[in-house]
Amino acid sequence: MSAKSEYRKTLGTFATGVTIITTRHDHQNFGFTANSFTSVSLDPPLVLFCLQKDSTFLVAVKKSGAFGINILSRKQEELSNKFANPALMNEQRFEGITYTLSELNCPIIKGSIGYLDCEKVKHTKTGDHHIILGHVRHFSRHGKTGPLVYYGGGYRNLIRE
Ligand SMILES: Cc1cc2nc3c(=O)[nH]c(=O)nc-3n(C[C@H](O)[C@H](O)[C@H](O)COP(=O)(O)O)c2cc1C
């Protein structure tokens, strides 16, 4: 096994939740699947995510100045795949999806179990990704469905909810 593939597999031993990160600019929705989301600070409430350097999301979030973190439920695996599909344009990813717009004008996807509405405060290019830091301005939790979990390159369910 190559060092690169072993490295990826080692990273995959870290279980995460799955999010769809959204923004809206010029009446157009943007969104992609991410598991690099993490909380950075509670006071002030800061979060970050990492974004591949060539993503169209970067231009959109720079212009909108805001992003939304939709935390996916175990029932949203299909949605996760749709928003991770590089062959789909941003608008195609939102086709057939029910959403509302947040106070910062970002799509809140129906069925997500948690939502964080963030003002973008900083972005830094690091290696082949950008680190985007946001200040959480609004947040909400929805329903009692368990989370979608990503581990070892595949989706998992928690045994108990
Ligand atoms: C579970 C999972 C987690 C992912 N996490 C990230 C991530 O944190 N950052 C990232 O840039 N891409 C991540 N991706 C890949 C993007 O979703 C994918 O490359 C997508 O096509 C990016 O959107 P774009 O084509 O509009 O740039 C992840 C994919 C999956 C399936």
Side-chain angles (χ1 to χ4, degrees):
M1 194 181 286
S2 71
K4 198 171 170 184
S5 141
E6 187 56 33
Y7 178 56
R8 276 179 169 270
K9 283 198 158 53
T10 304
L11 292 177
T13 61
F14 183 58
T16 66
V18 183
T19 68
I20 291 175
I21 303 183
T22 57
T23 194
R24 190 171 161 90
H25 170 64
D26 216 6
H27 305 287
Q28 235 197 303
N29 293 322
F30 296 82
F32 76 104
T33 300
N35 66 345
S36 57
F37 160 71
T38 195
S39 163
V40 175
S41 160
L42 288 178
D43 188 12
L46 301 173
V47 297
L48 68 74
F49 67 94
C50 302
L51 180 64
Q52 290 164 26
K53 68 174 165 45
D54 298 325
S55 177
T56 51
F57 195 86
L58 184 67
V59 180
V61 76
K62 274 190 193 170
K63 291 198 168 146
S64 71
F67 60 88
I69 307 278
N70 290 270
I71 301 170
L72 300 190
S73 91
R74 62 178 175 78
K75 295 179 181 168
Q76 292 175 307
E77 187 175 322
E78 207 178 305
L79 219 59
S80 172
N81 287 331
K82 190 174 187 189
F83 279 79
N85 183 350
L88 292 180
M89 304 290 289
N90 277 281
E91 280 302 325
Q92 289 176 299
R93 293 178 186 169
F94 282 89
E95 270 169 21
I97 285 171
T98 309
Y99 65 89
T100 54
L101 291 179
S102 71
E103 291 181 60
L104 296 180
N105 200 38
C106 301
I108 305 178
I109 295 170
K110 192 177 174 199
S112 303
I113 55 176
Y115 177 78
L116 301 158
D117 210 20
C118 309
E119 189 185 319
K120 180 179 102 57
V121 289
K122 204 190 262 191
H123 80 269
T124 317
K125 186 169 180 299
T126 311
D128 55 8
H129 278 63
H130 288 262
I131 300 171
I132 317 273
L133 187 73
H135 191 140
V136 181
R137 295 297 181 190
H138 314 277
F139 51 87
S140 51
R141 288 190 294 144
H142 314 271
K144 292 200 171 99
T145 313
L148 185 60
V149 174
Y150 198 71
Y151 169 75
Y155 298 106
R156 316 281 160 157
N157 272 316
L158 290 184
I159 294 163
R160 289 200 302 166
E161 287 192 359

